[in-house]
Amino acid sequence: MDRNPSPPCSDAEEEEGDAVGNTVYSKHWLFSVLTRLIEVIAPAEPDPAGSPEGARAELDEEMENDICKVWDMSMDEDVALFLQEFNAPDIFMGVFAKSKCPRLTEICVGILGNMACFQDICMSISKDENLGQVLLQRLCDSDSPTLLETSRLLLTCLSQPEVANVWVERIRENPSVYDCVCFIMSSSTNVELLVKVGEVVDKLFDLDEELMLNWIKNGTCQSVGPSVDDSPEELPDFKIVPCVLEAAKQVRSDNPEGLDVYMHILQLLTTVDEGIQAIVQAPDGGKETWSLLYDLVCQELCQPDDPPIIVQEQKTVLASILSVLSAMFASQTEQEYTRMRKSKLCSFFYMPLIGSLIRILQYMEGCGKRAVDNSKESEQEETGTTEINEGDFHLKILKDICCELLSNMLQELTKENTLEGLHQGHLNEQTCSCAFQNLLPLYFASVESFLEVLREADQALADNLEKRFPSLKVHT
């Protein structure tokens, strides 16, 4: 059976006025399905087997088929308005309270999610305090499809400016939301669910810094979380950073958009001191975060065998990753990963990153030249020009972040590190020239400091760079 079969239409023989709004869908048919739904959750006679009321684990095929049709139809505004007028949200609340059929719960949350796409209905759903609380409780469900539809519904509501604050406040007042979201991020292997939950968290943090601060500081105590039966289960003491990292590891290979979402969450965390400290003062000293981001930049994104245009496709995720690395690097001193950079192992851990930063800058130069050429060719095309300008804006953000981190790292290099970088090929006249070209004049002090170290490691290379950049020539 198809997941969402084609919706039924009104028959030509149906009495006039049976169509829902301007659609060809039948009011009578919709009414009959919702009536049957009420009967499903409130049977007239007790179950002879002695099962609790509403404890039907499976829907019969006909009912599932019909309610799936309603799910499809609810994407139409006229149908959504009809469902609201028929008090469908109240019926669904009864489903959530009484039904033990995960598939039925999933479908009903999905229908509400479709209805919430329309502003007036979204406002009505959002202002219903009881419904709001019941929907948040669905985040503690053990059924992944229901969790996915719940997350979609929440994201839809949070994306509506008129009601976003209602949901932010409601979530802030419900500690169980933090627990359940962290549980999902830390334990689920469902990539689609992880991406959608990540989008919810990203939206919440973007909307409300106070909520983000609360979640950064949060620890749980006898928290109630997902359970396979009616007994609440105590969850571990979740911390937001490890949960975000675990989810990022799950989505990194299968969903680039999901990785972008989780990297942006980390970036948002670094916009407050408490977030940076939560990262670098983790039990492992921030090594897990640094290791993941380091691997992404040095092993997966913007690689030597990629065409330069790849930096256009990856500019947002790269900007988020480099922003977090820069914040971690700057926060520094007593952390183990920072002390390590003073050792001879620095070249192993840091020179590849420096090489990657320079490669990103080189690729951006290539994209910039291409954008100029395209701009000349489409000078008369206003839309094309706008797209190029927008791309340049995002690339500029990436360049600024990249240059800041590169300048800080170059300033920390020793002669031994530099020699190893030269040996590995990360440093040569071409790469150093690219770095200097992008860092000067804003980061003059960093470039000058690095050139002094480079002179000890390779006098000839330092002299050639001085000739190419006269402002760096040492006065004797």
Side-chain angles (χ1 to χ4, degrees):
M1 181 184 70
D2 293 336
R3 177 180 177 81
N4 291 343
S6 299
C9 301
S10 295
D11 295 332
E13 298 178 357
E14 290 280 357
E15 62 183 70
E16 188 176 352
D18 183 57
V20 177
N22 294 320
T23 73
V24 292
Y25 305 137
S26 166
K27 289 180 181 178
H28 176 77
W29 183 87
L30 270 171
F31 182 87
S32 68
V33 174
L34 292 175
T35 301
R36 285 159 53 207
L37 181 58
I38 294 173
E39 294 171 354
V40 167
I41 60 174
E45 297 180 3
D47 189 330
S51 298
E53 182 181 1
R56 299 186 179 186
E58 300 292 339
L59 283 173
D60 65 70
E61 184 174 344
E62 181 183 0
M63 185 63 199
E64 181 173 355
N65 188 47
D66 286 346
I67 197 68
C68 278
K69 290 177 183 177
V70 176
W71 192 357
D72 264 357
M73 294 165 65
S74 63
M75 291 186 289
D76 186 288
E77 185 172 9
D78 286 334
V79 174
L81 288 169
F82 177 83
L83 291 172
Q84 184 188 28
E85 291 170 4
F86 192 75
N87 295 322
D90 290 340
I91 297 174
F92 298 152
M93 280 188 66
V95 170
F96 304 148
K98 297 181 179 180
S99 173
K100 295 186 181 296
C101 174
R103 176 63 169 153
L104 181 58
T105 301
E106 173 204 356
I107 296 169
C108 291
V109 177
I111 294 172
L112 278 175
N114 284 348
M115 293 172 65
C117 292
F118 306 105
Q119 182 176 328
D120 290 344
I121 300 177
C122 185
M123 291 181 67
S124 175
I125 291 173
S126 301
K127 290 178 180 178
D128 187 329
E129 186 62 28
N130 290 332
L131 180 58
Q133 296 295 336
V134 168
L135 288 172
L136 290 184
Q137 290 172 11
R138 298 271 63 79
L139 286 173
C140 294
D141 206 295
S142 59
D143 180 60
S144 290
T146 298
L147 289 171
L148 177 60
E149 294 307 321
T150 303
S151 300
R152 283 177 172 157
L153 171 56
L154 290 177
L155 185 62
T156 298
C157 294
L158 289 169
S159 300
Q160 297 267 8
E162 298 79 10
V163 300
N165 288 339
V166 173
W167 286 97
V168 169
E169 184 65 26
R170 188 174 285 148
I171 291 170
R172 192 190 297 134
E173 294 175 353
N174 281 267
S176 64
V177 173
Y178 170 87
D179 297 332
C180 294
V181 166
C182 284
F183 182 83
I184 294 168
M185 291 192 297
S186 63
S187 62
S188 178
T189 57
N190 185 319
V191 171
E192 189 179 7
L193 172 59
L194 287 172
V195 173
K196 196 58 61 179
V197 167
E199 289 175 343
V200 171
V201 174
D202 188 44
K203 191 69 175 177
L204 284 170
F205 286 3
D206 196 37
L207 285 170
D208 193 79
E209 185 176 295
E210 181 184 346
L211 182 143
M212 181 173 71
L213 286 168
N214 289 342
W215 281 27
I216 290 170
K217 300 171 184 176
N218 216 340
T220 61
C221 180
Q222 295 183 342
S223 304
V224 176
S227 178
V228 295
D229 52 30
D230 288 332
S231 303
E233 139 184 330
E234 187 173 327
L235 293 179
D237 187 14
F238 287 120
K239 299 296 182 185
I240 189 66
V241 173
C243 295
V244 170
L245 290 178
E246 188 59 37
K249 292 175 187 176
Q250 286 289 333
V251 305
R252 65 185 287 185
S253 300
D254 299 325
N255 195 299
E257 293 78 13
L259 180 64
D260 200 342
V261 168
Y262 279 100
M263 293 303 100
H264 191 253
I265 293 173
L266 284 176
Q267 182 182 5
L268 287 173
L269 291 175
T270 64
T271 60
V272 294
D273 290 339
E274 293 86 346
I276 297 174
Q277 296 308 310
I279 293 173
V280 300
Q281 292 183 357
D284 65 353
K287 286 195 294 184
E288 185 179 1
T289 304
W290 182 274
S291 178
L292 173 62
L293 303 186
Y294 175 93
D295 284 347
L296 288 170
V297 174
C298 297
Q299 304 296 330
E300 295 187 21
L301 301 174
C302 203
Q303 293 302 293
D305 56 349
D306 289 328
I309 195 66
I310 195 71
V311 78
Q312 276 280 10
E313 299 176 15
Q314 298 175 350
K315 57 183 177 286
T316 57
V317 67
L318 282 170
S320 294
I321 292 171
L322 296 184
S323 180
V324 177
L325 288 173
S326 186
M328 293 179 70
F329 195 90
S331 70
Q332 44 175 302
T333 49
E334 63 275 347
Q335 304 305 322
E336 182 178 350
Y337 68 85
T338 304
R339 291 197 300 270
M340 183 176 62
R341 76 169 185 255
K342 297 295 186 181
S343 72
K344 292 184 179 179
L345 291 176
C346 173
S347 57
F348 176 79
F349 288 100
Y350 281 58
M351 289 312 308
L353 180 53
I354 288 175
S356 294
L357 294 175
I358 295 174
R359 182 167 59 251
I360 291 170
L361 292 173
Q362 289 174 320
Y363 283 9
M364 279 193 284
E365 288 179 355
C367 287
K369 292 176 183 177
R370 178 169 178 166
V372 170
D373 293 340
N374 290 342
S375 182
K376 289 178 181 178
E377 292 176 5
S378 60
E379 191 171 349
Q380 305 301 321
E381 300 179 14
E382 184 177 349
T383 303
T385 303
T386 301
E387 291 175 353
I388 290 171
N389 290 339
E390 182 179 350
D392 287 345
F393 172 75
H394 290 295
L395 283 177
K396 184 180 184 305
I397 293 175
L398 175 58
K399 178 182 176 180
D400 290 345
I401 297 170
C402 189
C403 287
E404 180 182 4
L405 178 55
L406 179 59
S407 68
N408 288 337
M409 297 188 75
L410 289 179
Q411 215 165 5
E412 295 291 338
L413 292 181
T414 64
K415 176 184 176 181
E416 291 74 18
N417 306 148
T418 304
L419 283 169
E420 188 63 24
L422 292 167
H423 175 71
Q424 293 175 350
H426 298 300
L427 297 178
N428 54 47
E429 187 167 349
Q430 182 183 18
T431 58
C432 289
S433 294
C434 175
F436 288 10
Q437 183 70 40
N438 285 278
L439 294 177
L440 293 172
L442 184 60
Y443 297 101
F444 181 88
S446 295
V447 173
E448 189 176 44
S449 171
F450 169 67
L451 189 60
E452 285 296 318
V453 175
L454 182 62
R455 185 173 288 104
E456 297 177 27
D458 190 329
Q459 180 69 51
L461 177 55
D463 290 343
N464 289 341
L465 290 169
E466 279 186 353
K467 291 176 183 176
R468 296 189 65 171
F469 300 91
S471 63
L472 293 171
K473 189 171 183 180
V474 177
H475 297 286
T476 57

